[in-house]
Protein backbone atom coordinates (compact mmCIF):
# COMPACT_ATOMS: atom_id res chain seq x y z
CA UNK A 1 0.00 0.00 0.00
CA UNK A 2 -0.55 2.30 -1.77
CA UNK A 3 -0.59 0.06 -4.87
CA UNK A 4 0.69 1.27 -8.22
CA UNK A 5 -2.10 2.74 -10.42
CA UNK A 6 -4.49 2.99 -7.48
CA UNK A 7 -6.37 6.23 -6.81
CA UNK A 8 -5.99 7.89 -3.46
CA UNK A 9 -7.55 10.86 -1.72
CA UNK A 10 -4.55 12.75 -0.37
CA UNK A 11 -4.00 15.79 1.79
CA UNK A 12 -0.74 17.52 0.94
CA UNK A 13 1.06 18.70 4.08
CA UNK A 14 4.46 19.94 2.85
CA UNK A 15 6.47 20.88 -0.24
CA UNK A 16 10.00 19.48 -0.32
CA UNK A 17 13.04 21.29 -1.68
CA UNK A 18 12.62 19.61 -5.08
CA UNK A 19 9.17 21.17 -5.36
CA UNK A 20 7.15 18.00 -4.75
CA UNK A 21 4.05 18.20 -2.60
CA UNK A 22 4.24 15.63 0.19
CA UNK A 23 1.35 13.69 1.71
CA UNK A 24 1.16 10.49 3.72
CA UNK A 25 -0.72 7.26 3.04
CA UNK A 26 -0.45 4.42 5.57
CA UNK A 27 2.56 6.07 7.11
CA UNK A 28 4.39 6.23 3.78
CA UNK A 29 5.39 9.55 2.18
CA UNK A 30 3.78 10.19 -1.20
CA UNK A 31 5.50 12.74 -3.45
CA UNK A 32 3.28 14.62 -5.88
CA UNK A 33 4.74 16.95 -8.55
CA UNK A 34 3.12 20.37 -8.69
CA UNK A 35 1.09 19.92 -5.50
CA UNK A 36 1.13 22.50 -2.70
CA UNK A 37 0.65 21.98 1.02
CA UNK A 38 -2.99 22.63 1.80
CA UNK A 39 -4.17 20.89 -1.41
CA UNK A 40 -6.73 18.13 -1.10
CA UNK A 41 -6.53 16.00 -4.23
CA UNK A 42 -7.16 12.68 -5.85
CA UNK A 43 -3.80 11.21 -6.72
CA UNK A 44 -2.88 8.29 -8.96
CA UNK A 45 0.07 6.30 -7.66
CA UNK A 46 2.65 6.01 -10.43
CA UNK A 47 5.45 4.48 -8.38
CA UNK A 48 5.48 2.50 -5.18
CA UNK A 49 8.97 2.07 -3.74
CA UNK A 50 9.83 0.38 -0.45
CA UNK A 51 9.88 3.52 1.65
CA UNK A 52 8.02 6.10 -0.44
CA UNK A 53 5.52 6.47 -3.27
CA UNK A 54 5.09 8.92 -6.15
CA UNK A 55 1.70 10.14 -7.29
CA UNK A 56 0.20 12.38 -9.96
CA UNK A 57 -2.70 14.75 -9.35
CA UNK A 58 -5.83 13.42 -11.08
CA UNK A 59 -8.22 15.91 -9.59
CA UNK A 60 -7.69 18.92 -7.36
CA UNK A 61 -10.60 18.66 -4.90
CA UNK A 62 -9.75 21.72 -2.87
CA UNK A 63 -6.77 23.95 -3.73
CA UNK A 64 -4.25 25.20 -1.18
CA UNK A 65 -4.61 28.88 -0.19
CA UNK A 66 -0.85 29.21 -0.88
CA UNK A 67 -1.11 28.29 -4.55
CA UNK A 68 -0.07 30.74 -7.27
CA UNK A 69 -0.02 30.45 -11.04
CA UNK A 70 3.25 29.01 -12.35
CA UNK A 71 3.83 31.39 -15.26
CA UNK A 72 7.37 30.29 -16.13
CA UNK A 73 7.96 30.05 -19.90
CA UNK A 74 10.75 27.49 -19.29
CA UNK A 75 8.63 25.02 -17.32
CA UNK A 76 10.22 21.68 -16.90
CA UNK A 77 13.82 22.82 -16.44
CA UNK A 78 13.54 21.72 -12.82
CA UNK A 79 15.58 24.62 -11.45
CA UNK A 80 12.72 26.04 -9.38
CA UNK A 81 10.88 24.27 -6.59
CA UNK A 82 8.38 26.85 -5.38
CA UNK A 83 6.96 28.63 -8.42
CA UNK A 84 3.51 27.24 -7.65
CA UNK A 85 3.26 28.72 -4.13
CA UNK A 86 3.28 32.34 -2.95
CA UNK A 87 6.64 33.83 -2.01
CA UNK A 88 5.71 34.48 1.65
CA UNK A 89 4.76 30.83 1.90
CA UNK A 90 8.00 29.75 0.21
CA UNK A 91 9.87 31.60 2.96
CA UNK A 92 7.96 29.63 5.60
CA UNK A 93 8.75 26.36 3.84
CA UNK A 94 12.43 27.32 3.73
CA UNK A 95 12.48 28.16 7.42
CA UNK A 96 10.78 24.82 8.17
CA UNK A 97 13.47 23.08 6.16
CA UNK A 98 16.19 24.54 8.40
CA UNK A 99 14.18 23.77 11.55
CA UNK A 100 13.69 20.16 10.53
CA UNK A 101 17.37 19.70 9.54
CA UNK A 102 18.36 20.79 13.07
CA UNK A 103 15.68 18.62 14.64
CA UNK A 104 16.93 15.56 12.72
CA UNK A 105 20.45 16.30 13.96
CA UNK A 106 19.14 16.38 17.53
CA UNK A 107 19.52 20.15 17.92
CA UNK A 108 16.95 22.69 19.02
CA UNK A 109 18.45 25.95 17.83
CA UNK A 110 15.96 28.80 17.35
CA UNK A 111 15.60 29.53 13.64
CA UNK A 112 14.76 33.06 12.59
CA UNK A 113 12.28 33.97 9.86
CA UNK A 114 14.09 33.93 6.50
CA UNK A 115 15.70 37.26 5.58
CA UNK A 116 15.21 38.30 1.96
CA UNK A 117 15.51 41.28 -0.40
CA UNK A 118 12.05 40.97 -1.95
CA UNK A 119 13.54 40.65 -5.44
CA UNK A 120 12.42 37.28 -6.73
CA UNK A 121 12.96 37.60 -10.50
CA UNK A 122 16.00 38.49 -12.61
CA UNK A 123 18.26 38.18 -9.58
CA UNK A 124 20.71 35.58 -10.88
CA UNK A 125 24.02 36.92 -12.16
CA UNK A 126 25.18 33.65 -13.68
CA UNK A 127 23.90 31.23 -16.31
CA UNK A 128 25.51 28.20 -17.91
CA UNK A 129 23.32 27.28 -20.86
CA UNK A 130 23.97 23.83 -22.31
CA UNK A 131 23.97 23.66 -26.10
CA UNK A 132 22.90 20.52 -27.93
CA UNK A 133 22.37 19.54 -31.55
CA UNK A 134 18.78 20.03 -32.74
CA UNK A 135 16.90 19.49 -35.99
CA UNK A 136 17.56 23.07 -37.07
CA UNK A 137 21.03 23.65 -35.69
CA UNK A 138 22.17 24.16 -32.10
CA UNK A 139 19.54 24.25 -29.34
CA UNK A 140 20.11 26.28 -26.17
CA UNK A 141 18.34 25.56 -22.93
CA UNK A 142 18.46 23.68 -19.69
CA UNK A 143 18.90 20.05 -18.86
CA UNK A 144 15.57 18.53 -17.86
CA UNK A 145 15.65 17.22 -14.27
CA UNK A 146 17.69 14.04 -13.82
CA UNK A 147 18.38 13.76 -17.54
CA UNK A 148 20.55 15.01 -20.32
CA UNK A 149 17.70 16.12 -22.53
CA UNK A 150 18.00 19.82 -23.31
CA UNK A 151 14.78 21.77 -22.83
CA UNK A 152 14.84 24.72 -25.21
CA UNK A 153 14.58 27.88 -23.10
CA UNK A 154 16.83 30.90 -22.94
CA UNK A 155 14.42 33.13 -21.09
CA UNK A 156 14.48 31.99 -17.48
CA UNK A 157 12.63 34.54 -15.30
CA UNK A 158 15.39 34.33 -12.68
CA UNK A 159 17.95 35.65 -15.19
CA UNK A 160 18.46 39.14 -16.59
CA UNK A 161 16.87 39.28 -20.08
CA UNK A 162 20.19 40.33 -21.68
CA UNK A 163 21.56 36.81 -21.02
CA UNK A 164 18.96 35.34 -23.33
CA UNK A 165 19.77 37.93 -26.01
CA UNK A 166 23.49 37.17 -25.90
CA UNK A 167 22.92 33.41 -25.93
CA UNK A 168 20.59 33.81 -28.90
CA UNK A 169 23.24 35.85 -30.76
CA UNK A 170 25.82 33.09 -30.18
CA UNK A 171 23.33 30.49 -31.39
CA UNK A 172 22.52 32.43 -34.58
CA UNK A 173 26.22 32.90 -35.32
CA UNK A 174 26.79 29.15 -34.87
CA UNK A 175 23.83 28.37 -37.11
CA UNK A 176 24.98 30.82 -39.78
CA UNK A 177 28.54 29.47 -39.92
CA UNK A 178 27.53 25.85 -39.46
CA UNK A 179 29.34 25.45 -36.12
CA UNK A 180 28.01 22.22 -34.63
CA UNK A 181 26.84 21.88 -31.05
CA UNK A 182 28.61 19.27 -28.95
CA UNK A 183 26.85 15.92 -28.99
CA UNK A 184 27.18 14.13 -25.65
CA UNK A 185 26.63 10.68 -27.06
CA UNK A 186 29.08 10.81 -29.97
CA UNK A 187 31.49 13.27 -28.34
CA UNK A 188 31.54 15.24 -31.63
CA UNK A 189 30.79 18.90 -32.24
CA UNK A 190 32.25 22.15 -30.91
CA UNK A 191 29.97 24.38 -28.82
CA UNK A 192 29.12 22.91 -25.39
CA UNK A 193 28.02 25.69 -23.05
CA UNK A 194 27.31 29.40 -23.12
CA UNK A 195 28.43 30.71 -19.74
CA UNK A 196 27.43 34.23 -18.73
CA UNK A 197 28.11 36.32 -15.67
CA UNK A 198 26.89 39.80 -14.80
CA UNK A 199 27.83 42.48 -12.30
CA UNK A 200 25.11 44.23 -10.31
CA UNK A 201 22.51 45.91 -12.54
CA UNK A 202 24.26 44.25 -15.50
CA UNK A 203 26.82 47.07 -15.55
CA UNK A 204 29.34 44.52 -16.78
CA UNK A 205 28.90 41.20 -18.55
CA UNK A 206 31.39 38.39 -19.12
CA UNK A 207 30.91 35.65 -21.70
CA UNK A 208 32.72 32.32 -21.78
CA UNK A 209 32.04 29.82 -24.55
CA UNK A 210 32.85 26.28 -23.51
CA UNK A 211 34.06 24.51 -26.62
CA UNK A 212 35.98 21.43 -27.66
CA UNK A 213 38.66 23.59 -29.26
CA UNK A 214 40.29 26.92 -28.47
CA UNK A 215 40.20 27.56 -32.20
CA UNK A 216 36.56 28.60 -32.49
CA UNK A 217 35.45 29.10 -36.11
CA UNK A 218 34.70 32.69 -37.15
CA UNK A 219 35.51 33.97 -33.67
CA UNK A 220 36.31 37.41 -35.03
CA UNK A 221 32.86 37.84 -36.59
CA UNK A 222 31.30 36.70 -33.33
CA UNK A 223 33.22 39.06 -31.05
CA UNK A 224 32.62 42.00 -33.38
CA UNK A 225 28.91 41.30 -33.50
CA UNK A 226 28.65 40.84 -29.73
CA UNK A 227 30.70 43.85 -28.64
CA UNK A 228 28.80 46.10 -31.06
CA UNK A 229 25.45 44.91 -29.78
CA UNK A 230 26.22 44.55 -26.08
CA UNK A 231 28.43 47.42 -24.92
CA UNK A 232 28.50 46.13 -21.31
CA UNK A 233 30.24 42.96 -22.43
CA UNK A 234 33.70 43.50 -20.94
CA UNK A 235 35.23 40.20 -21.97
CA UNK A 236 34.72 37.17 -24.20
CA UNK A 237 36.63 33.96 -23.52
CA UNK A 238 36.87 30.45 -24.81
CA UNK A 239 37.22 27.56 -22.40
CA UNK A 240 38.34 24.22 -23.74
CA UNK A 241 36.62 21.08 -22.54
CA UNK A 242 37.17 17.89 -24.56
CA UNK A 243 36.27 15.45 -21.82
CA UNK A 244 33.16 13.31 -21.77
CA UNK A 245 32.05 14.74 -18.41
CA UNK A 246 29.32 16.59 -16.52
CA UNK A 247 31.88 19.12 -15.32
CA UNK A 248 31.22 22.24 -17.34
CA UNK A 249 34.57 24.00 -17.41
CA UNK A 250 37.89 22.67 -18.63
CA UNK A 251 41.28 24.02 -17.57
CA UNK A 252 42.44 26.02 -20.59
CA UNK A 253 41.15 29.47 -21.52
CA UNK A 254 41.71 31.78 -24.44
CA UNK A 255 40.78 35.43 -24.33
CA UNK A 256 38.99 36.52 -27.50
CA UNK A 257 38.19 40.12 -26.56
CA UNK A 258 38.37 42.53 -23.64
CA UNK A 259 39.48 41.20 -20.24
CA UNK A 260 39.38 37.81 -18.56
CA UNK A 261 37.35 38.84 -15.54
CA UNK A 262 34.26 40.67 -14.40
CA UNK A 263 34.28 43.50 -11.87
CA UNK A 264 31.52 43.88 -9.34
CA UNK A 265 31.07 45.94 -6.20
CA UNK A 266 29.90 44.01 -3.13
CA UNK A 267 29.51 45.45 0.38
CA UNK A 268 31.63 48.44 -0.63
CA UNK A 269 34.47 46.32 -2.03
CA UNK A 270 35.46 46.15 -5.70
CA UNK A 271 35.89 42.56 -6.74
CA UNK A 272 37.39 40.91 -9.78
CA UNK A 273 35.86 37.58 -10.68
CA UNK A 274 37.33 35.09 -13.15
CA UNK A 275 35.09 32.49 -14.83
CA UNK A 276 36.56 29.67 -12.70
CA UNK A 277 36.01 31.48 -9.39
CA UNK A 278 33.03 30.94 -7.16
CA UNK A 279 30.84 34.00 -6.82
CA UNK A 280 27.41 34.12 -5.17
CA UNK A 281 24.68 34.29 -7.82
CA UNK A 282 22.44 36.87 -6.12
CA UNK A 283 24.23 40.17 -5.55
CA UNK A 284 21.75 42.02 -3.31
CA UNK A 285 20.90 39.01 -1.18
CA UNK A 286 24.62 38.25 -0.78
CA UNK A 287 25.15 41.73 0.63
CA UNK A 288 22.33 40.98 3.07
CA UNK A 289 23.96 37.65 3.96
CA UNK A 290 27.46 39.07 4.52
CA UNK A 291 26.07 42.02 6.53
CA UNK A 292 24.11 39.60 8.67
CA UNK A 293 27.25 37.52 9.19
CA UNK A 294 29.20 40.65 10.16
CA UNK A 295 26.50 41.70 12.64
CA UNK A 296 26.52 38.24 14.18
CA UNK A 297 30.32 38.39 14.47
CA UNK A 298 30.05 41.80 16.22
CA UNK A 299 33.62 42.66 15.23
CA UNK A 300 35.41 45.37 17.20
CA UNK A 301 38.42 46.08 15.00
CA UNK A 302 40.80 44.08 17.18
CA UNK A 303 40.24 40.63 15.78
CA UNK A 304 42.36 38.34 13.68
CA UNK A 305 39.88 36.93 11.18
CA UNK A 306 40.35 33.67 9.31
CA UNK A 307 38.19 33.28 6.19
CA UNK A 308 38.01 29.58 5.29
CA UNK A 309 36.80 28.54 1.82
CA UNK A 310 37.35 32.21 0.97
CA UNK A 311 36.96 32.05 -2.83
CA UNK A 312 37.89 35.47 -4.23
CA UNK A 313 38.00 36.81 -0.68
CA UNK A 314 34.59 38.48 -0.70
CA UNK A 315 33.50 37.74 2.88
CA UNK A 316 36.78 38.53 4.62
CA UNK A 317 37.42 41.64 2.53
CA UNK A 318 33.90 42.92 3.23
CA UNK A 319 34.77 42.69 6.96
CA UNK A 320 38.37 43.91 6.60
CA UNK A 321 37.70 47.43 7.89
CA UNK A 322 36.45 45.91 11.16
CA UNK A 323 39.38 43.56 11.87
CA UNK A 324 43.05 43.91 12.77
CA UNK A 325 44.26 41.16 10.47
CA UNK A 326 42.77 38.89 7.82
CA UNK A 327 43.83 35.51 6.44
CA UNK A 328 41.95 33.61 3.72
CA UNK A 329 42.31 29.99 2.60
CA UNK A 330 40.89 28.61 -0.64
CA UNK A 331 41.63 25.59 -2.83
CA UNK A 332 41.24 27.16 -6.31
CA UNK A 333 44.44 28.95 -7.23
CA UNK A 334 42.90 31.46 -9.66
CA UNK A 335 40.37 32.45 -6.97
CA UNK A 336 43.24 33.08 -4.52
CA UNK A 337 44.98 35.18 -7.17
CA UNK A 338 41.73 37.21 -7.44
CA UNK A 339 41.54 37.52 -3.66
CA UNK A 340 45.07 38.99 -3.51
CA UNK A 341 44.32 41.41 -6.35
CA UNK A 342 41.04 42.33 -4.68
CA UNK A 343 42.81 43.17 -1.43
CA UNK A 344 45.42 45.21 -3.29
CA UNK A 345 42.94 47.09 -5.46
CA UNK A 346 40.88 48.04 -2.42
CA UNK A 347 43.93 49.24 -0.52
CA UNK A 348 43.57 46.49 2.08
CA UNK A 349 47.09 45.78 3.37
CA UNK A 350 46.39 43.64 6.40
CA UNK A 351 45.08 40.68 4.38
CA UNK A 352 46.93 37.52 3.37
CA UNK A 353 45.69 34.58 1.31
CA UNK A 354 46.91 31.04 0.76
CA UNK A 355 45.99 28.31 -1.69
CA UNK A 356 45.23 25.02 0.01
CA UNK A 357 42.76 22.55 1.43
CA UNK A 358 40.85 23.84 4.46
CA UNK A 359 41.63 20.51 6.13
CA UNK A 360 45.27 21.60 6.28
CA UNK A 361 44.53 24.98 7.87
CA UNK A 362 46.72 24.54 10.97
CA UNK A 363 49.75 23.63 8.82
CA UNK A 364 49.04 26.38 6.26
CA UNK A 365 48.92 29.01 9.02
CA UNK A 366 52.11 27.68 10.55
CA UNK A 367 53.93 27.78 7.22
CA UNK A 368 52.72 31.35 6.73
CA UNK A 369 54.54 32.34 9.90
CA UNK A 370 51.67 31.84 12.30
CA UNK A 371 48.20 33.30 12.57
CA UNK A 372 46.03 32.87 15.60
CA UNK A 373 42.41 33.64 14.71
CA UNK A 374 39.92 35.18 17.14
CA UNK A 375 37.13 34.68 14.64
CA UNK A 376 36.81 32.08 11.89
CA UNK A 377 34.33 32.42 9.04
CA UNK A 378 33.55 29.10 7.39
CA UNK A 379 31.69 29.10 4.08
CA UNK A 380 32.04 25.55 2.72
CA UNK A 381 30.46 24.08 -0.42
CA UNK A 382 27.23 22.04 -0.22
CA UNK A 383 28.88 18.98 1.26
CA UNK A 384 29.84 21.01 4.33
CA UNK A 385 33.17 20.83 6.14
CA UNK A 386 34.92 17.48 6.59
CA UNK A 387 35.84 16.11 10.03
CA UNK A 388 39.49 17.01 9.53
CA UNK A 389 38.61 20.64 8.82
CA UNK A 390 36.27 20.85 11.80
CA UNK A 391 38.96 19.37 14.05
CA UNK A 392 41.60 21.78 12.83
CA UNK A 393 39.15 24.65 13.38
CA UNK A 394 38.51 23.45 16.94
CA UNK A 395 42.24 23.14 17.58
CA UNK A 396 42.61 26.86 16.80
CA UNK A 397 40.02 27.58 19.52
CA UNK A 398 38.61 30.84 18.11
CA UNK A 399 36.30 32.98 20.28
CA UNK A 400 33.74 32.92 17.50
CA UNK A 401 32.94 30.75 14.55
CA UNK A 402 30.67 32.14 11.86
CA UNK A 403 29.31 29.26 9.82
CA UNK A 404 27.71 30.27 6.51
CA UNK A 405 26.01 27.40 4.76
CA UNK A 406 24.07 26.76 1.57
CA UNK A 407 22.88 23.36 2.78
CA UNK A 408 20.76 23.02 5.95
CA UNK A 409 21.52 19.28 6.24
CA UNK A 410 25.31 19.55 6.29
CA UNK A 411 25.03 22.70 8.43
CA UNK A 412 23.04 20.77 11.03
CA UNK A 413 25.47 17.84 10.84
CA UNK A 414 28.47 20.13 11.39
CA UNK A 415 26.68 22.04 14.20
CA UNK A 416 26.00 18.73 15.95
CA UNK A 417 29.76 18.11 15.82
CA UNK A 418 30.91 21.59 16.90
CA UNK A 419 28.38 22.54 19.59
CA UNK A 420 29.22 19.78 22.12
CA UNK A 421 32.93 20.65 21.75
CA UNK A 422 32.90 23.91 23.64
CA UNK A 423 30.60 26.22 21.69
CA UNK A 424 27.12 27.66 22.03
CA UNK A 425 24.87 29.25 19.43
CA UNK A 426 21.88 31.47 20.02
CA UNK A 427 20.16 31.16 16.66
CA UNK A 428 20.34 30.27 12.99
CA UNK A 429 19.43 33.00 10.52
CA UNK A 430 18.32 31.79 7.08
CA UNK A 431 18.76 34.18 4.14
CA UNK A 432 17.03 33.63 0.82
CA UNK A 433 19.68 33.90 -1.88
CA UNK A 434 17.77 31.70 -4.28
CA UNK A 435 14.09 32.72 -4.47
CA UNK A 436 11.79 30.18 -6.19
CA UNK A 437 14.41 27.42 -6.00
CA UNK A 438 14.71 24.80 -3.27
CA UNK A 439 17.92 26.30 -1.88
CA UNK A 440 18.38 28.42 1.21
CA UNK A 441 21.45 29.89 2.87
CA UNK A 442 21.93 30.20 6.66
CA UNK A 443 24.27 31.89 9.12
CA UNK A 444 25.06 30.61 12.59
CA UNK A 445 27.41 32.33 15.04
CA UNK A 446 29.04 29.95 17.50
CA UNK A 447 30.62 31.44 20.61
CA UNK A 448 33.22 29.70 22.75
CA UNK A 449 31.95 28.75 26.21
N1 LIG B 1 33.43 32.47 0.64
C1 LIG B 1 33.40 32.58 -0.80
C2 LIG B 1 33.27 31.24 -1.52
C3 LIG B 1 32.31 30.25 -0.91
S1 LIG B 1 31.97 28.85 -1.93
C4 LIG B 1 32.30 33.52 -1.21
O1 LIG B 1 31.43 33.86 -0.43
O2 LIG B 1 32.28 33.93 -2.36
C5 LIG B 1 33.04 27.63 -1.33
C6 LIG B 1 34.47 27.81 -1.75
O3 LIG B 1 35.20 26.73 -1.17
C7 LIG B 1 34.73 27.73 -3.24
O4 LIG B 1 35.47 28.86 -3.62
C8 LIG B 1 35.55 26.44 -3.41
O5 LIG B 1 36.52 26.54 -4.44
C9 LIG B 1 36.21 26.31 -2.07
N2 LIG B 1 36.62 24.97 -1.63
C10 LIG B 1 36.00 23.79 -1.89
N3 LIG B 1 36.60 22.79 -1.23
C11 LIG B 1 37.62 23.34 -0.53
C12 LIG B 1 38.59 22.81 0.37
N4 LIG B 1 38.64 21.51 0.65
N5 LIG B 1 39.47 23.66 0.94
C13 LIG B 1 39.42 24.99 0.67
N6 LIG B 1 38.51 25.54 -0.18
C14 LIG B 1 37.63 24.74 -0.77
Amino acid sequence: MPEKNSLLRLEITDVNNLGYGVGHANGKAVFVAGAADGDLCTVRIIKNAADYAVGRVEELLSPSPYRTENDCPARGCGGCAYRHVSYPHELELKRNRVVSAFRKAGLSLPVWPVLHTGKIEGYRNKAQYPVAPGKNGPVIGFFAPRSHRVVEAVNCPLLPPVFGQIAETVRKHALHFGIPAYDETSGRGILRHIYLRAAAEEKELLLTLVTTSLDYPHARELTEMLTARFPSLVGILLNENRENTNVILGKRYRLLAGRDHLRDRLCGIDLRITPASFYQVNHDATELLYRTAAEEAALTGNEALLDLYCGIGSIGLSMASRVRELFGIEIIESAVACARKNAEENGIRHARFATGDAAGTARILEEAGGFSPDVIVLDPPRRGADAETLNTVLSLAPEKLIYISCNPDTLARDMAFLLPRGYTAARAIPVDLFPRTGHVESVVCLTRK
Side-chain angles (χ1 to χ4, degrees):
M1 272 291 277
E3 313 268 305
K4 187 164 175 188
N5 286 325
S6 64
L7 282 173
L8 206 71
R9 198 182 150 94
L10 196 70
E11 199 188 324
I12 306 297
T13 53
D14 196 6
V15 182
N16 71 8
N17 63 329
L18 298 173
Y20 285 85
V22 189
H24 285 89
N26 301 317
K28 195 187 258 190
V30 184
F31 298 103
V32 186
D37 53 328
D39 280 348
L40 182 66
C41 41
T42 308
V43 161
R44 186 170 303 275
I45 299 299
I46 51 177
K47 177 177 178 166
N48 184 22
D51 48 358
Y52 70 96
V54 180
R56 189 175 55 216
V57 178
E58 288 270 321
E59 193 186 348
L60 188 55
L61 303 170
S62 155
S64 159
Y66 310 122
R67 267 185 177 270
T68 52
E69 183 70 31
N70 179 355
D71 56 358
C72 177
R75 259 173 194 240
C77 94
C80 286
Y82 300 123
R83 289 203 78 89
H84 63 301
V85 299
S86 73
Y87 187 57
H89 188 58
E90 171 184 336
L91 294 172
E92 281 180 44
L93 291 167
K94 285 180 168 171
R95 180 178 172 277
N96 292 345
R97 166 116 200 272
V98 181
V99 170
S100 89
F102 280 121
R103 196 191 304 124
K104 279 181 202 152
L107 301 171
S108 59
L109 206 59
V111 178
W112 272 25
V114 182
L115 303 182
H116 60 96
T117 64
K119 183 174 178 179
I120 62 170
E121 302 233 310
Y123 65 79
R124 272 190 72 97
N125 61 21
K126 173 179 170 180
Q128 291 175 315
Y129 298 101
V131 187
K135 279 203 194 83
N136 306 306
V139 180
I140 307 170
F142 297 95
F143 287 120
R146 297 173 302 283
S147 91
H148 275 237
R149 186 169 49 85
V150 173
V151 178
E152 189 164 7
V154 275
N155 298 314
C156 162
L158 305 187
L159 297 172
V162 67
F163 278 14
Q165 294 158 14
I166 294 177
E168 193 47 29
T169 308
V170 174
R171 188 187 68 83
K172 284 203 176 121
H173 169 273
L175 184 67
H176 181 79
F177 289 106
I179 303 166
Y182 177 73
D183 182 342
E184 280 198 325
T185 31
S186 69
R188 288 208 204 100
I190 299 177
L191 182 57
R192 293 180 73 135
H193 275 87
I194 299 171
Y195 169 18
L196 280 154
R197 259 189 169 157
E201 291 157 32
E202 290 89 69
K203 278 188 196 134
E204 290 198 357
L205 302 164
L206 187 73
L207 169 67
T208 306
L209 298 181
V210 184
T211 58
T212 50
S213 158
L214 289 183
D215 206 6
Y216 194 71
H218 302 278
R220 177 103 161 248
E221 286 92 333
L222 179 63
T223 53
E224 276 170 7
M225 185 156 47
L226 286 169
T227 40
R229 214 180 137 197
F230 304 99
S232 333
L233 205 53
V234 296
I236 303 172
L237 299 104
L238 292 176
N239 172 270
E240 185 186 75
N241 189 350
R242 294 167 169 272
E243 308 290 312
N244 178 10
T245 165
N246 287 341
V247 179
I248 295 176
L249 293 175
K251 288 210 170 69
R252 301 204 313 147
Y253 289 87
R254 181 179 152 212
L255 186 63
L256 290 180
R259 54 173 140 92
D260 68 352
H261 61 273
L262 188 78
R263 287 173 188 279
D264 199 10
R265 195 170 171 81
L266 190 81
C267 294
I269 301 286
D270 291 314
L271 297 170
R272 59 163 70 202
I273 305 139
T274 55
S277 303
F278 175 90
Y279 188 56
Q280 289 285 10
V281 298
N282 183 338
H283 176 273
D284 298 358
T286 301
E287 290 193 326
L288 179 62
L289 174 71
Y290 293 175
R291 292 204 170 113
T292 304
E295 278 165 28
E296 290 296 286
L299 301 164
T300 63
N302 274 325
E303 292 86 354
L305 175 71
L306 176 62
D307 183 2
L308 282 188
Y309 308 91
C310 72
I312 57 169
S314 29
I315 300 181
L317 293 173
S318 76
M319 298 179 181
S321 66
R322 274 162 290 173
V323 301
R324 189 184 77 236
E325 236 190 318
L326 171 64
F327 200 107
I329 297 178
E330 157 66 41
I331 206 158
I332 304 276
E333 199 164 348
S334 86
V336 174
C338 281
R340 292 196 177 114
K341 273 270 178 219
N342 288 334
E344 185 190 318
E345 285 170 2
N346 288 280
I348 296 168
R349 294 203 185 81
H350 57 301
R352 284 182 287 163
F353 296 92
T355 307
D357 190 324
T361 294
R363 186 184 41 77
I364 293 168
L365 295 181
E366 222 175 273
E367 282 169 11
F371 185 87
S372 166
D374 304 298
V375 179
I376 301 183
V377 174
L378 276 143
D379 182 20
R382 291 190 61 73
R383 64 177 181 275
D386 53 34
E388 220 177 319
T389 304
L390 294 175
N391 278 318
T392 184
V393 160
L394 287 170
S395 74
L396 294 164
E399 273 313 305
K400 278 180 193 150
L401 264 168
I402 311 294
Y403 197 126
I404 300 180
S405 160
C406 58
N407 182 346
D409 300 324
T410 54
L411 170 68
R413 182 200 67 200
D414 292 351
M415 284 302 116
F417 183 85
L418 292 167
L419 286 171
R421 291 173 172 77
Y423 286 86
T424 57
R427 57 185 162 263
I429 308 179
V431 184
D432 194 15
L433 265 68
F434 316 103
R436 308 331 251 147
T437 79
H439 301 284
V440 64
E441 201 84 17
S442 312
V443 185
V444 181
C445 173
L446 297 102
T447 310
R448 197 146 66 100
K449 276 195 224 160

